[in-house]
Amino acid sequence: MNRYYAHSLENQPLDNWQSLEEHLINTAKLAQSFAEQFNAGRWGELAGRFHDLGKGSREFQAYLRNENSIEDEFAAYYEPRWQRDHATFAAKHIYKLSQQPEAKLVKLLAYCLAGHHGGLQNWSNDKKSGIRYRVEDKKLKEVLFPFEQHPDIPSAPPFQFDQTLCGFQLQFFVRMLFSCLIDADRLDTEQFCSPEKTEHREHTINLEQLYSVFWENFNALRKTAKASKVNDIREKILSDCLAAAKRKSGLFTLTVPTGGGKTLASLAFALEHAKLHAHEKGFRRIIYVIPFTSIIEQNAKVFRDMLGDEAVLEHHSNFTPHKEDWKTKLATENWDAPVVVTTNVQFFDSFFANKTSKCRKLHNIANSVVIFDEVQAIPVEKLQPCIEVLRELTTNYGVSAVLCTATQPAIGKSASFKKGLELEQTEIIRDVPSLFHELRRTKQTWLGPCDQEEIADRLRKEEQVLCIVSTRDQALQLFAEIKDMDGAFHLSALMYPKHRSRVLKKIRERLHPDNPQPCRVISTQLIEAGVDVDFPLVFRSLAGMDSIAQAAGRCNREGRRDLGEVFIYKPETMPSHSYFRQTAQSAKRLFDRFAGRLIEPECIRSYFEDYFWVNKDRMDEDRILEKCSPGTVVNGDFVFEDIAEFQMIENANQAVVIAIEEDVVELVRQLEYVESPSKILRKLQQYSVQIYPNQFNELKGWQEEPYPGVFVLKNKQLYDQKTGLECQSPEGQGFII
């Protein structure tokens, strides 16, 4: 049996090759242990044991030897034109087993086996492609490697079916098994071929140890905090979180006003919840899911300060590990870290993807505490598929999920939203209305229609004021009215991320209570995304109620005044994009009814009920649930390639690198000769601006393309140090997301 091999090391004799038997056994054990996390160990073991059986053919063994210039009895079977599809044999064998009445559902494994290199495929397509045509192909090479022809196979997945969601549940189960197989296969291959990488993966930090580290650092932070009403209330919020951590695992909501300290309070909940349920659940990690890359780094820094650098893994588009940081690089592949900080896009896209790289980490989300920060930021047209991911994780995969926000969306099950989540008895805060009353730090006033000059005049009269508008163009136009005043700043996505960070640092310095200075800021809504600033006065152009509440969170944030003031006004020209129009209309309908208390929970709930009702037919724009409907999958005929069309953010914009800093110029220069540019490209994201196609066309004469698809601004005069890239927006657009 040992003459069959799975892998070879370059320029090594056969004695140093990994046997096929060893690889199958190792992968089966790993996949079984991973799948045990959701009570599907037998399924995982079967996938691992069968996945590489196709390597037991003469032709594959001949291919291995030819690649290493080794002559033996297999050499005669080498076929230069043979496509090395070893995955189909295992899929075909499992498919045959599924023809037995009691083993029908084992067909689910055929997707995992057939796709463990190329990704999950459709069962069949219009043309002759898909798994069906592979497993029915009679040209498959004979496999000589001895294996168990009729293994003991499970008859059903380890969960109860929901009659209306069984299709979604089954495809979800397939991708979780797929994740177990991919990670197990890659880890065992790595252990044999690159053992030094395996050593980098090893870590000894667990949640139990982090519990002690957190409280040591948190208590030290408490001692330095100044006594204030806001800090007293934050202590009450923390107390509620620790009390709620005793509840059984499942779905939670954490509704806390902006500035209430929910970031650290939710981390305390997660650690306490994991500790109290260690024996029954065995929570393995904490995952923070954050909507915007603009705030993810500041949140990750908070976690590192509390838990230490080694404990926290960032995985998002703006993060690039240091060159020598192999541990972090490898951990991003499968999220094997105690605390993971990621984005909505990375998290949800992975649950609908079909590629191995995207799916590999999914099994490590099982038995985790997952905190969704600012959950209201999920686009309404993607809401229903995301709700089903949350429902499935908390129902069948041991996840405790916390929907954490100041503006809790109305996604609970009700007569008008029958597909909502069961949110009864899920709130962590014992008395939400009282909390909002205690933490009331602003009053909100509706000004009605105001022209640009009127708003500019109001801003000129204030020493410290923030004005938030909905589009980049509005920000530019309003900033032009006050740009010559002391302490005037502009913030928008026309400025690359590093530039924005520097401007925010200057803004915070001018707002510091020990040395207050003039500070007048015009910003798009990007400042609402968790940016920690504290103004005495805020203006907000008409927008959705969640945006108004987030704007209010930048006003009197630390409670240094009795009440800060938030003024909402209707600009001369409202953005024509449907999102802004609909959210503004839903908000304005509530201004009279909730005058003076626009950011209280009852108003926010009414707002989301109205906005969701208007968009009730748009909550699954990609028709994901239709593609997973029970009727579609009655025979297990899934369309994974079609489901993978789901994207949280569909961005047709083009990134342009602003190479006006010396370090960036050098990075761009390196692009011209490096073999693998991925590290450089990640670094350049911090110096990139996303623009619309027509803006990109306007700039064509001023760009260079040092690497295919990477465009760099040539003319430094087109980038203003106060307002960023100078280009025209399409009419009616200009929004930041």
Side-chain angles (χ1 to χ4, degrees):
M1 187 181 296
N2 286 335
R3 66 197 184 109
Y4 296 95
Y5 297 97
H7 309 292
S8 64
L9 293 175
E10 190 174 357
N11 300 320
Q12 292 289 318
L14 288 172
D15 289 347
N16 289 343
W17 290 18
Q18 184 183 32
S19 74
L20 181 55
E21 179 184 27
E22 179 186 9
H23 178 57
L24 294 178
I25 291 173
N26 291 347
T27 303
K29 287 180 179 178
L30 277 173
Q32 181 179 22
S33 68
F34 296 156
E36 284 288 2
Q37 296 296 326
F38 47 95
N39 303 314
R42 179 60 180 153
W43 289 84
E45 194 272 339
L46 270 178
R49 194 199 315 174
F50 281 90
H51 78 288
D52 267 356
L53 282 180
K55 291 182 177 180
S57 69
R58 293 187 184 95
E59 290 76 14
F60 193 91
Q61 292 299 311
Y63 151 72
L64 280 178
R65 287 152 174 81
N66 181 75
E67 289 293 296
N68 290 274
S69 303
I70 290 177
E71 290 283 338
D72 66 6
E73 72 272 23
F74 286 102
Y77 298 99
Y78 179 66
E79 298 180 16
R81 295 184 180 181
W82 177 61
Q83 295 182 354
R84 299 178 297 279
D85 178 12
H86 65 275
T88 297
F89 178 86
K92 186 169 186 175
H93 181 69
I94 284 291
Y95 179 60
K96 283 183 178 179
L97 291 177
S98 73
Q99 304 308 299
Q100 304 170 29
E102 69 280 5
K104 184 177 180 181
L105 282 177
V106 83
K107 173 184 175 180
L108 300 175
L109 287 177
Y111 292 95
C112 302
L113 301 177
H116 77 270
H117 284 288
L120 295 168
Q121 287 185 290
N122 291 351
W123 182 252
S124 60
N125 294 319
D126 294 336
K127 297 179 180 179
K128 285 195 173 183
S129 63
I131 297 177
R132 172 189 168 190
Y133 298 100
R134 291 170 63 183
V135 298
E136 292 179 354
D137 187 356
K138 301 186 184 303
K139 299 177 183 178
L140 201 63
K141 301 296 183 181
E142 179 186 6
V143 168
L144 304 179
F145 178 80
F147 64 96
E148 192 176 351
Q149 296 280 349
H150 303 286
D152 177 27
I153 57 178
S155 58
F159 52 79
Q160 296 294 316
F161 287 113
D162 182 313
Q163 189 173 0
T164 60
L165 292 170
C166 62
F168 186 88
Q169 288 180 294
L170 282 173
Q171 67 82 32
F172 196 99
F173 182 58
V174 170
R175 67 178 71 248
M176 291 296 276
L177 290 173
F178 185 59
S179 169
C180 294
L181 173 60
I182 298 306
D183 199 24
D185 180 32
R186 304 302 190 263
L187 287 175
D188 185 62
T189 301
E190 180 182 278
Q191 171 71 60
F192 177 75
C193 296
S194 306
E196 69 282 0
K197 289 186 179 180
T198 301
E199 291 179 13
H200 283 298
R201 288 186 187 275
E202 295 175 0
H203 58 79
T204 57
I205 303 174
N206 56 41
L207 293 185
E208 184 178 356
Q209 293 167 309
L210 292 182
Y211 182 89
S212 301
V213 174
F214 171 80
W215 284 110
E216 181 180 345
N217 289 325
F218 187 75
N219 288 329
L221 187 66
R222 276 171 160 166
K223 291 178 182 178
T224 62
K226 295 180 180 179
S228 69
K229 178 184 175 182
V230 170
N231 281 333
D232 289 343
I233 294 170
R234 287 170 179 165
E235 286 291 329
K236 291 181 182 179
I237 292 168
L238 176 64
S239 177
D240 283 357
C241 286
L242 296 178
K246 300 173 184 176
R247 299 185 207 162
K248 68 177 183 179
S249 61
L251 192 61
F252 297 83
T253 54
L254 178 58
T255 309
V256 175
T258 302
K262 63 180 182 292
T263 300
L264 287 179
S266 62
L267 179 57
F269 166 87
L271 288 166
E272 186 77 11
H273 191 59
K275 180 184 178 183
L276 294 174
H277 295 79
H279 298 300
E280 56 186 279
K281 290 296 299 181
F283 286 111
R284 299 176 298 159
R285 59 187 47 83
I286 297 168
I287 302 172
Y288 264 84
V289 185
I290 297 174
F292 309 113
T293 55
S294 59
I295 62 170
I296 194 169
E297 291 170 4
Q298 70 181 37
N299 284 33
K301 184 181 183 303
V302 171
F303 302 143
R304 285 196 172 93
D305 290 343
M306 289 294 108
L307 303 173
D309 290 345
E310 288 292 313
V312 181
L313 168 69
E314 287 185 62
H315 190 192
H316 54 90
S317 60
N318 285 351
F319 181 70
T320 307
H322 294 301
K323 185 175 182 180
E324 66 279 3
D325 189 4
W326 273 100
K327 183 186 287 288
T328 299
K329 292 176 184 178
L330 295 170
T332 58
E333 295 175 353
N334 63 356
W335 284 9
D336 188 10
V339 178
V340 179
V341 186
T342 189
T343 58
N344 277 347
V345 172
Q346 180 69 240
F347 187 88
F348 285 110
D349 279 4
S350 296
F351 276 105
F352 299 101
N354 67 328
K355 299 300 183 185
T356 57
S357 58
K358 283 278 191 180
C359 294
R360 179 176 175 179
K361 59 183 171 285
L362 295 181
H363 73 91
N364 274 330
I365 297 173
N367 287 350
S368 297
V369 183
V370 186
I371 313 289
F372 293 90
D373 193 22
E374 308 296 355
V375 69
Q376 79 283 351
I378 297 175
V380 68
E381 61 272 14
K382 310 291 180 179
L383 186 61
Q384 196 64 57
C386 293
I387 283 177
E388 298 313 330
V389 168
L390 290 172
R391 194 195 316 273
E392 195 62 14
L393 286 173
T394 53
T395 302
N396 293 318
Y397 295 88
V399 166
S400 278
V402 183
L403 310 183
C404 184
T405 179
T407 53
Q408 204 66 247
I411 58 176
K413 189 174 183 179
S414 65
S416 58
F417 191 23
K418 295 181 180 179
K419 293 182 179 180
L421 293 167
E422 296 283 357
L423 295 182
E424 293 294 325
Q425 308 300 316
T426 61
E427 179 56 51
I428 289 174
I429 300 301
R430 300 177 203 193
D431 189 345
V432 172
S434 294
L435 174 63
F436 273 74
H437 178 73
E438 287 184 80
L439 261 181
R440 184 170 183 254
R441 289 156 295 168
T442 65
K443 62 178 181 180
Q444 306 87 43
T445 304
W446 167 238
L447 296 177
C450 294
D451 61 34
Q452 183 171 289
E453 182 53 41
E454 183 178 350
I455 295 299
D457 189 52
R458 284 175 174 266
L459 300 181
R460 293 187 193 101
K461 293 175 182 177
E462 304 295 335
E463 284 289 293
Q464 293 187 338
V465 61
L466 167 66
C467 182
I468 306 174
V469 295
S470 294
T471 72
R472 300 172 181 178
D473 283 350
Q474 287 177 339
L476 285 170
Q477 292 163 10
L478 194 52
F479 180 73
E481 300 284 343
I482 67 162
K483 65 180 181 180
D484 295 328
M485 298 194 72
D486 183 24
F489 296 95
H490 166 278
L491 286 169
S492 85
L494 287 173
M495 302 156 67
Y496 55 83
K498 280 286 187 183
H499 184 187
R500 293 201 304 265
S501 296
R502 294 183 191 123
V503 173
L504 275 168
K505 183 180 179 182
K506 292 178 183 177
I507 290 170
R508 291 189 179 106
E509 288 171 354
R510 284 179 168 262
L511 293 174
H512 199 284
D514 294 340
N515 184 28
Q517 301 171 62
C519 187
R520 302 170 179 90
V521 178
I522 310 296
S523 177
T524 60
Q525 64 206 63
L526 64 81
I527 202 170
E528 295 171 352
V531 177
D532 189 359
V533 289
D534 186 358
F535 284 85
L537 181 64
V538 171
F539 286 81
R540 183 51 166 106
S541 66
L542 182 59
M545 205 66 81
D546 53 335
S547 290
I548 292 170
Q550 291 296 333
R554 312 311 126 195
C555 182
N556 196 22
R557 188 177 180 88
E558 296 300 323
R560 296 188 181 98
R561 310 157 191 89
D562 288 338
L563 284 177
E565 292 190 283
V566 178
F567 293 104
I568 303 106
Y569 70 95
K570 183 179 179 182
E572 293 174 273
T573 304
M574 286 292 295
S576 63
H577 191 275
S578 61
Y579 169 78
F580 288 109
R581 187 178 65 254
Q582 290 177 5
T583 54
Q585 289 171 349
S586 290
K588 191 168 184 308
R589 278 192 279 268
L590 301 171
F591 283 174
D592 291 337
R593 181 173 150 203
F594 291 97
R597 51 193 185 99
L598 298 179
I599 63 175
E600 292 183 6
E602 186 182 354
C603 180
I604 298 298
R605 184 167 53 253
S606 297
Y607 162 74
F608 277 111
E609 285 173 351
D610 183 273
Y611 177 56
F612 286 169
W613 181 84
V614 169
N615 290 283
K616 65 182 186 299
D617 297 325
R618 294 181 56 236
M619 290 187 178
D620 186 6
E621 189 176 67
D622 303 300
R623 301 185 298 111
I624 298 298
L625 297 187
E626 180 183 327
K627 294 169 184 176
C628 301
S629 67
T632 303
V633 298
V634 66
N635 295 313
D637 297 351
F638 293 104
V639 287
F640 285 106
E641 293 168 85
D642 297 354
I643 293 171
E645 293 172 1
F646 176 96
Q647 284 184 304
M648 277 292 283
I649 298 176
E650 296 174 6
N651 191 356
N653 292 355
Q654 175 65 54
V656 176
V657 176
I658 311 300
I660 59 177
E661 298 186 33
E662 218 171 281
D663 291 348
V664 188
V665 173
E666 177 56 31
L667 286 172
V668 170
R669 196 176 291 123
Q670 291 176 21
L671 276 177
E672 299 178 6
Y673 56 82
V674 295
E675 290 184 10
S676 177
S678 57
K679 298 174 187 176
I680 295 174
L681 294 177
R682 289 194 196 98
K683 290 179 181 178
L684 288 176
Q685 287 173 344
Q686 284 291 303
Y687 302 91
S688 300
V689 172
Q690 296 279 340
I691 59 176
Y692 298 101
N694 75 311
Q695 296 171 321
F696 179 75
N697 290 334
E698 288 177 11
L699 294 175
K700 270 188 176 176
W702 307 104
Q703 298 170 4
E704 58 185 15
E705 191 177 2
Y707 187 84
V710 179
F711 298 93
V712 179
L713 184 69
K714 285 181 181 179
N715 192 335
K716 295 180 181 180
Q717 294 178 346
L718 292 179
Y719 193 87
D720 187 280
Q721 286 301 321
K722 287 188 175 181
T723 58
L725 186 62
E726 297 183 355
C727 54
Q728 295 295 316
S729 294
E731 185 179 353
Q733 296 189 24
F735 51 95
I736 67 163
I737 298 177

